[in-house]
Amino acid sequence: MQNAKDTFYVALRNRLAILNPARQVEIRGVQRPAILVEEAEAPMKELPNDTFVLRWTAATALEDLPVRLMQLVCEVHYATSGSQPNAGLDRGRAMTEMDRELLDILTPMCAPKMSYTTTPATALATNVFWSEPQLAALETVRDQLLRVASIQVLAFDEPGEA
Amino acid sequence: MNMSDLSVRNTNDSMQRMTDAVLRAGGGSAAVLLIAPSPGDATDAGQLGLDAPNFQGLTLAPAIFRRTRPTMTQNQPATYELLISATAVAQQVSLLQLSSADALFSMVAAVNMGGLTLLIEEWACTVSLGTPMAYRLLLRASEPQSMTTDD
């Protein structure tokens, strides 16, 4: 299950780096694509703007198949307050841009499952695949626009997989 | 935010020194701020929670550490207040070549006070005549963590 989570994040991160190299954030002294796994970072006072934050929530095990199929729910939280040159008046356009980027990096809706506990990463036998995102209603908090997208991520638990 | 007093007056650092003296007299503690090392970990393992973050301890003193007035609410962690000398913060901001104290505090993963790990909830600056005197941090006790990794 952890390999599926890691694979999902790394796939989205690599796609974002290609799609929009300018969308970067500095986390723990490293400039990197503006996407992170909330549970793999230090607790934050508030989630960073202009960054996709992955939060894993529900998990369901489907045991009726020859191999257990794990269904995980990933919430992608993202927010923006627009840009300084435009004094934040472009926050609507910035949010639309992030919506589009999220939809683009989620396509294709699968990725080969990898294990990142080794260096280099080890390819596993199955794929991680996911559903279309459900974009929730936009939330407005003064000068900030926030949205949560929910994605169902599925992966088989391979025999011997940790 | 720099809110300098632009009036023509003879200014010196007496207020800052007095603030430091008050902080020493009121407790004289040292706060250890945990920040990421430089250069940071750019590997996949570092972004997936596999590698230890190797946070560095940044000691700031003088400081006063006290528990805030408790509001008895079930399952709410204890909150604390930390007052840190602005001169100590400014020194670290300069050493780390950061743009501001806000940049420093936003980098802090946790605060260690005598073995107690605390998370920063909010911070504010106490200013006199446009010059920061002290920084006030609102801290929350972190949840207990296991002593070993799950590898």
Side-chain angles (χ1 to χ4, degrees):
Chain A
M1 188 160 71
Q2 186 63 50
N3 289 328
K5 291 181 181 179
D6 295 346
T7 301
F8 182 70
Y9 159 71
V10 173
L12 265 59
R13 183 201 66 190
N14 293 346
R15 294 175 187 180
L16 181 63
I18 295 169
L19 178 70
N20 185 1
R23 187 175 295 284
Q24 297 210 327
V25 67
E26 183 169 336
I27 300 285
R28 284 186 281 139
V30 176
Q31 202 72 16
R32 50 190 257 203
I35 182 168
L36 59 95
V37 181
E38 186 185 36
E39 64 191 29
E41 300 294 340
M44 300 177 195
K45 181 168 76 77
E46 55 183 348
L47 299 183
N49 263 0
D50 304 308
T51 301
F52 297 105
V53 178
L54 273 58
R55 178 181 295 171
W56 295 98
T57 56
T60 307
L62 305 172
E63 304 277 7
D64 294 341
L65 301 169
V67 180
R68 180 192 297 151
L69 179 65
M70 290 302 305
Q71 180 178 313
L72 310 170
V73 176
C74 179
E75 290 181 355
V76 183
H77 295 249
Y78 51 105
T80 183
S81 295
S83 66
Q84 267 194 345
N86 289 346
L89 271 64
D90 59 344
R91 57 190 183 279
R93 308 188 80 82
M95 176 52 73
T96 304
E97 178 67 20
M98 293 192 77
D99 290 338
R100 186 190 66 77
E101 284 181 14
L102 179 63
L103 294 173
D104 285 347
I105 64 175
L106 286 169
T107 306
M109 291 185 233
C110 65
K113 189 158 68 168
M114 306 287 286
S115 169
Y116 292 92
T117 57
T118 60
T119 306
T122 308
L124 298 176
T126 58
N127 285 348
V128 178
F129 48 105
W130 51 87
S131 67
E132 292 91 353
Q134 297 292 320
L135 273 61
L138 204 56
E139 185 184 345
T140 302
V141 181
R142 293 299 293 272
D143 60 341
Q144 189 183 44
L145 300 178
L146 306 97
R147 197 194 294 281
V148 179
S150 292
I151 302 142
Q152 306 273 342
V153 179
L154 299 107
F156 289 102
D157 254 0
E158 298 176 23
E161 186 181 354
Chain B
M1 188 191 310
N2 186 11
M3 299 181 293
S4 298
D5 180 2
L6 301 179
S7 60
V8 179
R9 58 189 306 144
N10 184 20
T11 58
N12 54 43
D13 61 352
S14 59
M15 291 296 291
Q16 287 171 311
R17 284 187 280 115
M18 186 178 77
T19 303
D20 288 354
V22 168
L23 290 172
R24 286 192 194 93
S29 305
V32 179
L33 276 57
L34 300 178
I35 63 171
S38 178
D41 185 353
T43 63
D44 286 347
Q47 297 174 18
L48 294 171
L50 285 165
D51 282 350
N54 295 323
F55 288 128
Q56 298 174 331
L58 207 63
T59 303
L60 274 72
I64 291 178
F65 177 68
R66 59 189 181 192
R67 189 162 176 171
T68 58
R69 185 170 181 156
T71 303
M72 300 297 289
T73 310
Q74 189 178 11
N75 292 330
Q76 289 301 312
T79 55
Y80 301 84
E81 183 181 67
L82 181 66
L83 293 168
I84 303 181
S85 160
T87 51
V89 171
Q91 186 181 36
Q92 293 300 332
V93 168
S94 173
L95 281 173
L96 295 173
Q97 298 179 323
L98 299 172
S99 57
S100 64
D102 284 341
L104 172 65
F105 291 131
S106 63
M107 288 168 55
V108 174
V111 177
N112 190 304
M113 293 297 300
L116 183 64
T117 302
L118 304 133
L119 304 175
I120 298 180
E121 296 277 272
E122 194 53 78
W123 64 81
C125 181
T126 303
V127 174
S128 174
L129 301 178
T131 304
M133 295 293 117
Y135 288 92
R136 181 168 166 255
L137 278 67
L138 182 63
L139 306 174
R140 174 177 71 80
S142 72
E143 298 296 331
Q145 297 168 342
S146 67
M147 298 302 292
T148 57
T149 62
D150 289 331
D151 292 338

